[in-house]
Amino acid sequence: MDLAIKDVQRHLGKFIATIVGVGLLFAIVLIMNGIYAGNVADGVWLIENTDTDLWVVERDRGGPFNEPSRLPEDAWKSVAATPGVSQASPFITYGVQREIRGKEQQYTIIGYDVFGGLGGPGRIVAGRSIERAHYEMVVDEKLGVALGGRVHLGWHDYTVVGLTKGAVDSGGNPLVYLALADAQEVLYQQDNRALEAARATSLKRIEAVGNTPEQARRLLPLVSANSDTINAVLVRLRPGTDPTQVAQHIQNWLYFNVYTTAQQYDLVVAGKLKKMTAILGLFRILLIAVSIIIIALLIYVLTMEKIKAIATLKLMGATNWVIVRLILEQSLVLTVAAFGFAYVLVELTYEHFPRTLVLLPSETLITFAVIFVGGLVASLLGIVQALRTPPSLALGG
Amino acid sequence: MSVLSVRGLSKVFGSGELEVTALNNVNLDVQAGELVALIGPSGSGKTTLLLCISLILDPTAGVIEINGKDIYRDGRINIDVRRFRRENVGFIFQAHNLIPFLSALDNVALAMQLNGVGKRESRKRARELLDYLEISHRADYMPANLSGGEQQRVAIGRALANEPPLIFADEPTASLDTGRGMKVMELLKRVAREKKSAIIAVTHDVRMIAGFDTLYHMDDGRLSRTDAEAAAALGAPH
């Protein structure tokens, strides 16, 4: 006879309420797992989907994702001439917050060489890739703009010619692909007043070092900010080439920093996502601990409620295993049912979350194992109390 | 041969100045089918005697034999205690102590299943027992939905489940009104006669004394035989 199940049936309402409560806590743990995996997936999406072997960035910089990196646009030509390099392309990326169709939106602009260069959108789910030098864009469907729609950026309107799915930056914001020149224009655009102010400041600076106004006007183009800059050069190597050797060559001769795709991946995971990993890990531990304490207390209360029945069972000659099983099974039923509830809830709702949730089966399995062990631990308090109960407690009124 | 034979049983709690002798050289013989009452004031040692005979408490000294088999001798327990209780002792309590989350039928069947009887067989025999105790119409009721008398019948069924030679009853009628108490006493008598179980009941219930075959009076840990008249003369035991 399964005493635990019989007792659960008697306290069904209390059990269901606890399963729902604890299940919601477990659901938060699973969501945090999903947020973490989603963050990693988002954070490295661009790296994994760029189909490049090396990332060349400004000297002593961890760019282009972890910190700003600025390279002259023609740096790609020097990189392309490096032995072992099959193809090199300029690449630009920056996050913006602009109004699109009356709504402020955050997204990341990717500028690339649209005529066969690296760094373009990988898989387009609708429409086509950018085929003209200007005023076309490919956006992720998360941006909410339909194919053929027009988006005003800077001084121009851009037509959406292609849509991607799941193309996001490390913050989960959609990617917007533009031709390199368009991306540079949007990035460095200034209105006339800002340009005038910058020009006046530069002229004053040149005059301050002993130049006449005429000389200053002539020297101005040489010191003006150059908008023909990029953030990185993407490199594809010839088959059989050792990436470390090529990276070393570029570092030594061109004075740039070079990362392999694997290094770039590590850089993002160990840098940008490290703190989030720690915070999410801490929250997961706290939530699991709280859940286990709740289960332990409920099991303890249920044990105390039936302490006289336990004493009677002992008096009737029940073995310790019968008593232990009664409590242990209830704890595990509660834990497993709460986890099942959490799992179903998250499976049904995760697609509607504003952040990308990635539910990895391995992560879910590990969480279940931890929670299952927690359920075992939670029953200890009740088990100790039950085993300490003397059978003589059954006697008397 | 006696079902139960107790010789020189003593139980001492504490030591030195705090020493309390709860049982003092108790001798007791109970035959199969005998209905025995232990009466006496509160704290006289009645429940301690039941606890010691059922080996819930370890006696300090003496000998306990069940059906001629030595189960306890001078500080040494010679059997597996829980198995001994499953096979040889049934308990009936003042508060019935049915397992609250089991039906009447399951309460009786559980006692058998703890003793190794299969699920189907135990349920069949439990139903027969409830039928014998005229409570089978309530077999599927939960204890909370049974009256006090009905609960006590189920408790008697549970005590009888493994056909033990000994049944210990702790105040079996104390929580029942006179009518129901009388019915329970009649039932215990019938069980003792027909099932050949010896029943030893601790009771304060002077209304029921006449129903017992043998009366023992306990005072300050000493046990002495008495009769209904003397018991009445002692006044209602407290």
Side-chain angles (χ1 to χ4, degrees):
Chain A
M1 192 179 302
D2 198 326
L3 296 176
I5 299 300
K6 296 269 184 189
D7 193 33
V8 168
Q9 285 169 345
R10 180 170 170 247
H11 292 108
L12 201 57
K14 195 185 284 181
F15 253 83
I16 289 173
T18 311
I19 284 167
V20 170
V22 175
L24 287 174
L25 286 175
F26 287 164
I28 298 172
V29 174
L30 290 179
I31 287 166
M32 285 191 167
N33 288 350
I35 288 175
Y36 170 67
N39 258 327
V40 173
D42 287 353
V44 300
W45 189 94
L46 199 49
I47 298 167
E48 286 182 339
N49 288 274
T50 305
D51 193 20
T52 184
D53 298 316
L54 297 175
W55 298 74
V56 179
V57 297
E58 190 179 348
R59 186 88 179 166
D60 298 329
R61 299 283 179 159
F65 304 113
N66 281 21
E67 64 172 305
S69 155
R70 285 166 76 99
L71 299 173
E73 187 181 327
D74 56 6
W76 71 269
K77 293 173 185 166
S78 316
V79 174
T82 305
V85 171
S86 159
Q87 188 181 3
S89 302
F91 180 80
I92 188 168
T93 173
Y94 54 96
V96 295
Q97 180 169 322
R98 302 278 170 96
E99 191 180 289
I100 292 182
R101 305 202 158 186
K103 196 174 133 194
E104 284 291 319
Q105 288 214 55
Q106 283 191 333
Y107 52 94
T108 286
I109 290 176
I110 303 289
Y112 71 107
D113 174 7
V114 297
F115 300 110
L118 302 170
R123 201 170 68 86
I124 292 174
V125 294
R128 57 170 174 81
S129 57
I130 298 170
E131 289 174 354
R132 292 182 186 164
H134 293 289
Y135 315 130
E136 286 190 346
M137 59 165 48
V138 170
V139 303
D140 189 77
E141 57 183 19
K142 200 175 175 184
L143 195 71
V145 183
L147 198 63
R150 292 177 74 78
V151 174
H152 185 77
L153 272 179
W155 295 308
H156 305 287
D157 283 341
Y158 294 81
T159 306
V160 175
V161 296
L163 293 175
T164 58
K165 187 177 171 68
V168 289
D169 65 13
S170 60
N173 301 314
L175 298 184
V176 171
Y177 291 89
L178 295 176
L180 186 70
D182 286 350
Q184 286 170 323
E185 187 186 293
V186 173
L187 176 61
Y188 298 114
Q189 67 172 241
Q190 286 182 306
D191 64 21
N192 287 340
R193 287 178 68 178
L195 283 171
E196 280 303 318
R199 182 182 158 85
T201 308
S202 299
L203 284 172
K204 270 188 188 168
R205 221 171 42 232
I206 300 166
E207 286 174 23
V209 293
N211 294 298
T212 64
E214 178 57 27
Q215 286 172 321
R217 213 174 55 249
R218 287 185 180 180
L219 287 169
L220 185 65
L222 298 175
V223 299
S224 293
N226 184 3
S227 66
D228 297 334
T229 59
I230 55 174
N231 299 130
V233 176
L234 308 185
V235 176
R236 190 177 289 160
L237 299 172
R238 291 181 200 285
T241 310
D242 178 9
T244 321
Q245 273 188 353
V246 177
Q248 202 63 52
H249 190 278
I250 295 171
Q251 275 174 358
N252 292 343
W253 292 94
L254 302 177
Y255 298 101
F256 296 138
N257 262 24
V258 185
Y259 299 103
T260 62
T261 296
Q263 284 172 329
Q264 188 64 262
Y265 184 100
D266 292 342
L267 208 62
V268 170
V269 173
K272 217 170 182 178
L273 300 176
K274 194 178 175 184
K275 195 168 276 181
M276 181 167 278
T277 307
I279 292 168
L280 287 174
L282 182 69
F283 271 111
R284 281 189 287 180
I285 290 168
L286 284 174
L287 280 168
I288 289 175
V290 168
S291 311
I292 289 166
I293 289 168
I294 290 172
I295 293 173
L297 288 177
L298 181 85
I299 294 298
Y300 181 75
V301 168
L302 288 176
T303 304
M304 293 310 289
E305 274 181 12
K306 53 178 173 278
I307 206 75
K308 198 153 186 176
I310 288 169
T312 306
L313 283 170
K314 285 185 164 186
L315 206 60
M316 288 162 65
T319 57
N320 280 344
W321 172 239
V322 170
I323 312 287
V324 169
R325 200 181 136 197
L326 166 63
I327 298 161
L328 187 65
E329 216 176 290
Q330 283 188 345
S331 183
L332 293 182
V333 163
L334 191 61
T335 308
V336 172
F339 186 84
F341 172 77
Y343 182 77
V344 171
L345 186 68
V346 173
E347 278 289 329
L348 291 175
T349 57
Y350 81 99
E351 281 183 343
H352 305 294
F353 272 76
R355 289 293 310 245
T356 309
L357 288 192
V358 177
L359 301 175
L360 300 172
S362 58
E363 194 85 2
T364 306
L365 205 65
I366 290 168
T367 307
F368 176 72
V370 170
I371 285 171
F372 190 83
V373 172
L376 291 175
V377 173
S379 64
L380 287 180
L381 201 61
I383 287 172
V384 169
Q385 189 61 39
L387 292 181
R388 277 184 182 167
T389 303
S392 55
L393 191 73
L395 299 173
Chain B
M1 187 175 58
S2 303
V3 171
L4 172 69
S5 173
V6 175
R7 292 282 166 268
L9 196 70
S10 64
K11 174 66 184 174
V12 178
F13 291 106
S15 59
E17 287 183 7
L18 297 173
E19 188 176 289
V20 175
T21 304
L23 297 178
N24 190 351
N25 194 27
V26 170
N27 295 301
L28 176 67
D29 279 294
V30 182
Q31 308 302 315
E34 190 178 2
L35 194 56
V36 175
L38 297 179
I39 59 173
S42 295
S44 60
K46 304 184 299 292
T47 303
T48 305
L49 179 59
L50 283 195
L51 292 175
C52 284
I53 297 172
S54 53
L55 298 179
I56 294 166
L57 277 182
D58 292 347
T60 307
V63 177
I64 303 170
E65 288 178 2
I66 303 277
N67 284 329
K69 192 184 170 195
D70 206 16
I71 63 161
Y72 173 84
R73 182 173 289 272
D74 292 330
R76 212 177 70 239
I77 293 170
N78 301 320
I79 39 121
D80 172 350
V81 173
R82 293 207 183 185
R83 188 174 170 189
F84 158 73
R85 286 209 290 267
R86 284 198 299 270
E87 293 176 351
N88 295 289
V89 186
F91 289 93
I92 300 167
F93 308 93
Q94 177 183 344
H96 325 305
N97 286 19
L98 295 178
I99 307 296
F101 48 85
L102 299 182
S103 67
L105 184 77
D106 283 341
N107 261 285
V108 179
L110 174 67
M112 297 182 206
Q113 288 178 24
L114 289 176
N115 203 26
V117 181
K119 190 178 172 184
R120 188 173 292 182
E121 176 65 13
S122 63
R123 287 178 69 84
K124 181 175 157 271
R125 276 164 52 185
R127 201 170 283 280
E128 285 168 6
L129 254 179
L130 292 179
D131 205 28
Y132 171 73
L133 296 167
E134 296 168 8
I135 188 77
S136 59
H137 60 291
R138 298 275 198 246
D140 297 324
Y141 279 49
M142 300 305 277
N145 299 325
L146 298 173
S147 70
E150 287 171 336
Q151 286 190 48
Q152 200 60 303
R153 278 168 187 267
V154 176
I156 292 169
R158 184 176 63 184
L160 283 172
N162 295 314
E163 297 174 358
L166 272 175
I167 292 176
F168 293 136
D170 185 34
E171 304 281 4
T173 56
S175 61
L176 304 175
D177 59 41
T178 305
R180 288 197 172 94
M182 287 296 188
K183 279 187 178 171
V184 166
M185 276 308 298
E186 283 166 20
L187 191 59
L188 289 176
K189 204 165 200 169
R190 200 175 118 211
V191 164
R193 299 286 182 269
E194 294 175 10
K195 302 286 181 185
K196 297 293 175 205
S197 290
I199 300 177
I200 304 173
V202 166
T203 184
H204 276 144
D205 197 344
V206 74
R207 302 167 302 176
M208 307 300 161
I209 282 174
F212 288 91
D213 300 324
T214 316
L215 297 174
Y216 284 93
H217 181 250
M218 193 122 202
D219 199 10
D220 282 341
R222 294 173 192 280
L223 189 70
S224 57
R225 195 161 177 165
T226 185
D227 55 35
E229 211 171 295
L234 285 167
H238 306 293

